[in-house]
Amino acid sequence: MTSADELVIRTAELLAAHDPAATEPLEFLRARFDAGLAWVHFPPGLGGLGAPRALQAVVDAELAAAGAPDNDPRRIGIGLGMAAPTILRYGTEEQKRRFLRPLWTGEEVWCQLFSEPGAGSDLAALATRAVRDGDGPDAGWTVDGQKVWTSSAHLARWAILLARTDPDVPKHQGISYFVCDMTDPGVDVRPLRQLTGEAEFNEVFLTGVRIPDAHRLGAVGEGWRIAQTTLNNERVAIGGQRTPREGGLIGILAETWRRNPELRTHELHQRLLQGWTDAEVLRLTGERLRQQLAVGQPGPEGAAAKLAFARLAQELTGLEVELLAEQGLAYGDWTMSRPELVDFTGRDAGYRYLRAKGNSIEGGSSEILRNIIAERVLGLPAEPRSDKDVPWKESAR
Amino acid sequence: MTELDLLYSEVEEDLRSAVRALLADRCPPQAVLTRCEGPEPQDTGLWRTLAQELGVVALQVPEALGGAGASLRETAVVLEELGRACAPVPFLGSAVLATTVLLAAGELAAGEWPALCAGDRTAALAVPLSTAPDAPFPLGVRADAAGALTGAVTSVADVPGAGLLIVPADGPAGPGLYAVDGADVTVTARGSLDLTRPLVDLRLDGAPGRLLVGPDQAEAVLWEALLTGAGLLASEQLGLAEWCLATTVAYLRERRQFGRVVGSFQALKHRLADLWLDIAGARAAARAAADALATGSADAAVLVAVAASHCGAVAVRAAEEAVQLHGGIGMTWEHPVHLYLKRAKADQLALGTPGRHRASLATLATLPAPGGPLPRMPHV
Ligand SMILES: Cc1cc2nc3c(=O)[nH]c(=O)nc-3n(C[C@H](O)[C@H](O)[C@H](O)COP(=O)(O)OP(=O)(O)OC[C@H]3O[C@@H](n4cnc5c(N)ncnc54)[C@H](O)[C@@H]3O)c2cc1C
């Protein structure tokens, strides 16, 4: 097993061979990937060294100290957090080699074509069709349908896509998982403006999009099971981030409090102390989850972390607007823009307040996460349902 | 800030299993219910077994003194199990609060260890159970130059039959912590909200005391004992909350109304999911506090305040939800859930309320309260 000391040595070798000050950022990132220092827990040859995940922090700290460029994770969150772990687990050797390196370096942005107008929380009801054309080496799929709420689709080179390949079986069984080329002429991306004013997400129309069979991930009909890996990773990615004390939203709030004694009231003080405590409990919960993952005993705290994150983000951002008083009435800019980053903490308090409303909807709504915890963790029975064993084409939608 | 270890080691899990098995055998909820109205609400027999068979009443006491040479992390695991069983033993008072003072007293307390470690005697810290770590040093008892103590202390928990009392008192040279034999003190039982951790009032009329910690250290040592108590109480609250959730889930998976299992109604599932979430936070917070106390981290005061604030509230909510979701049976004396409700509510007040611990973060985390002149009210 690769130790922390060994990683420090390898990092020093990378830095010696590629002086960050004299190397193009992209070239440096590629070299870092090839040295196995991108995500050390990935296998050798795929950006990693098969080392414990927790040791990534050792590498990151060394590189940050040396002023090395990073891959701007906020720009490629869907690739890093969701596409990569799914491709690693279910992709062929060829798919892993083709996709993971440019995904990690940020050369290729990814998006997620899951949700549809008629299939949100009930994702398995999705109606986008993929029909097989031909056999043999040129075999492929023709895809038609509409996706919605697709973050970063306007920037993406690739998408992870769920489509129905068999309408005659119950809905969870007839879905397959594909990698979709966003430059295909049948892909039409249209901005959807959000309540913040900007268009971080899009609607995506798929018309006769051709996907080679080599870009299918996993077996035909296995899409739902594979999607669980994506969704579980999404929740850990959103809620399980490692932060220092007072990292993120609570840090912004605490600093505002310290700098502006004239804004302080007793009622706000109580809520600030409560929010600070909640943020610290959530940080420790995430830290505990990380430690559990590091020693290979993953717990159900992933869904919990996402649920708690959403609740806290909304509590803190609402409080911040109130604390700011007159300044809380301001809003920077309503002009419709298409952001390059998904950044929950950026811009002003009003933006944060509004953007945080999405935290309890994206990546599985808080209601759905509570259902998951109640059923899969606590073992409480599911609600009675009418769609389980009916072929998808006959089910009520 | 050093890296916190928030997991349970194998040794800790083994310890947990042993304690849990013993408690399942010796104090199932029905037995606790029967005992709490009897002449001896606290179970001295169980205490002796915990000491002699499992060696858990002096876990963090060095082996050279007759203890187990473990740490406060292991002590916290025992508290989780005692909370889960709502066990009527003086662990918090003796094995945590008093033990912390006695360890700080060093040589001066050397003679006390054999009887304490063997479980033949217990010790208690003579302060009201509601005393918060940041409370001023109590001055209700005076000590004269000869060490005779006079005064009163109310609402003291875990006072042994004729055990050892550690009494904070105002001495001739300033505050001190004194060892007093329980037999020399007038002990009056008082009705208490928590049936499984009864409270007493103490009256001292010239009781002979022996100075354990003098004026230079007394305030710091008392603070350390109360901080340790508040931090480890979070683990008891965690165990208690876990019992409430597990018992409620089990009941709701059986109970049927409207032709379906009550636990399939989403209104209840979501409440229990939220509770589970808060208990996951309690586990992380309680572990963090225990680890920081065990390693003597400079961050311990902050982590104790966070754990005490969060876990105190979660335990109460878990117990209140348990009562509500059991319906009528939850309101009966016969069902043990009320023991947990009473323990949870009393624990919430013990060693500082959640709100008081949060308030201490104003200083510890530099989040100052509003100051300056009060707003002017022109119309009055
Ligand atoms: C900012 C943002 C970014 C997003 N990015 C992407 C993306 O990149 N790719 C992608 O595929 N999707 C994305 N989504 C979509 C997101 O996953 C869905 O919006 C979400 O799953 C909810 O689906 P819905 O919008 O259809 O709401 P619905 O499912 O119609 O839900 C409506 C309401 O009913 C509640 N509800 C539904 N079912 C139940 C139930 N069984 N029990 C209790 N309550 C229930 C929901 O919680 C919600 O409150 C994004 C969403 C947001 C807000």
Side-chain angles (χ1 to χ4, degrees), chain A residues 142-367:
Chain A
T142 304
V143 179
D144 288 280
Q146 186 193 341
K147 296 290 179 176
V148 75
W149 323 128
T150 318
S151 306
S152 304
H154 53 294
L155 305 168
R157 173 69 178 81
W158 299 104
I160 42 177
L161 165 74
L162 291 182
R164 186 159 307 280
T165 42
D166 187 352
D168 297 323
V169 293
K171 64 183 185 184
H172 293 90
Q173 295 164 28
I175 298 171
S176 301
Y177 200 122
F178 299 94
V179 172
C180 174
D181 183 346
M182 293 296 284
T183 64
D184 187 286
V187 177
D188 178 15
V189 177
R190 301 184 199 160
L192 274 177
R193 197 172 180 198
Q194 280 159 250
L195 47 63
T196 53
E198 65 185 3
E200 185 188 290
F201 55 34
N202 303 270
E203 52 186 347
V204 178
F205 296 86
L206 306 167
T207 316
V209 175
R210 181 84 167 73
I211 297 182
D213 196 46
H215 285 183
R216 172 169 47 80
L217 213 60
V220 175
E222 283 288 287
W224 182 253
R225 201 165 58 85
I226 300 170
Q228 299 316 305
T229 296
T230 311
L231 297 175
N232 287 338
N233 275 286
E234 178 172 24
R235 283 157 202 158
V236 176
I238 296 177
Q241 293 288 359
R242 185 172 201 193
T243 48
R245 177 174 292 162
E246 281 198 13
L249 296 166
I250 185 62
I252 299 172
L253 184 60
E255 269 317 298
T256 304
W257 180 270
R258 290 180 189 123
R259 270 202 313 270
N260 300 283
E262 75 286 357
L263 297 177
R264 297 176 194 157
T265 70
H266 289 286
E267 187 262 354
L268 290 169
H269 191 228
Q270 293 306 312
R271 287 165 62 195
L272 173 74
L273 293 171
Q274 181 73 58
W276 198 93
T277 309
D278 292 346
E280 182 65 5
V281 170
L282 183 58
R283 184 183 77 82
L284 293 167
T285 310
E287 191 65 26
R288 185 157 195 277
L289 171 66
R290 229 179 38 78
Q291 292 182 3
Q292 275 180 315
L293 290 174
V295 298
Q297 30 168 310
E301 273 93 348
K306 156 76 168 76
L307 182 55
F309 167 77
R311 190 168 71 182
L312 179 69
Q314 294 175 354
E315 172 191 331
L316 296 180
T317 54
L319 177 56
E320 190 192 4
V321 172
E322 273 180 81
L323 169 62
L324 285 169
E326 185 185 341
Q327 210 192 316
L329 293 168
Y331 193 86
D333 186 5
W334 291 111
T335 319
M336 146 104 162
S337 65
R338 310 200 78 193
E340 290 261 316
L341 303 175
V342 177
D343 184 2
F344 298 154
T345 56
R347 307 211 291 180
D348 52 20
Y351 172 82
R352 284 190 280 280
Y353 170 70
L354 296 174
R355 179 58 184 85
K357 293 293 164 257
N359 295 158
S360 54
I361 302 170
E362 62 200 343
S365 74
S366 292
E367 288 74 23

Side-chain angles (χ1 to χ4, degrees), chain A residues 64-182:
Chain A
D70 72 7
N71 58 352
D72 199 356
R74 292 174 310 166
R75 205 171 64 87
I76 54 173
I78 292 172
L80 292 174
M82 293 144 76
T86 314
I87 293 169
L88 179 67
R89 176 136 178 222
Y90 291 101
T92 60
E93 261 333 288
E94 206 182 318
Q95 288 169 338
K96 291 182 210 172
R97 297 213 173 272
R98 164 64 189 85
F99 292 126
L100 291 175
R101 189 172 183 253
L103 180 159
W104 186 85
T105 59
E107 286 161 81
E108 293 180 344
V109 173
W110 286 67
C111 69
Q112 178 196 25
L113 292 171
F114 280 20
S115 304
E116 298 181 6
S121 300
D122 187 10
L123 181 59
L126 59 89
T128 292
R129 282 283 277 128
V131 179
R132 195 195 277 270
D133 49 24
D135 291 306
D138 290 337
W141 301 80
T142 304
V143 179
D144 288 280
Q146 186 193 341
K147 296 290 179 176
V148 75
W149 323 128
T150 318
S151 306
S152 304
H154 53 294
L155 305 168
R157 173 69 178 81
W158 299 104
I160 42 177
L161 165 74
L162 291 182
R164 186 159 307 280
T165 42
D166 187 352
D168 297 323
V169 293
K171 64 183 185 184
H172 293 90
Q173 295 164 28
I175 298 171
S176 301
Y177 200 122
F178 299 94
V179 172
C180 174
D181 183 346
M182 293 296 284

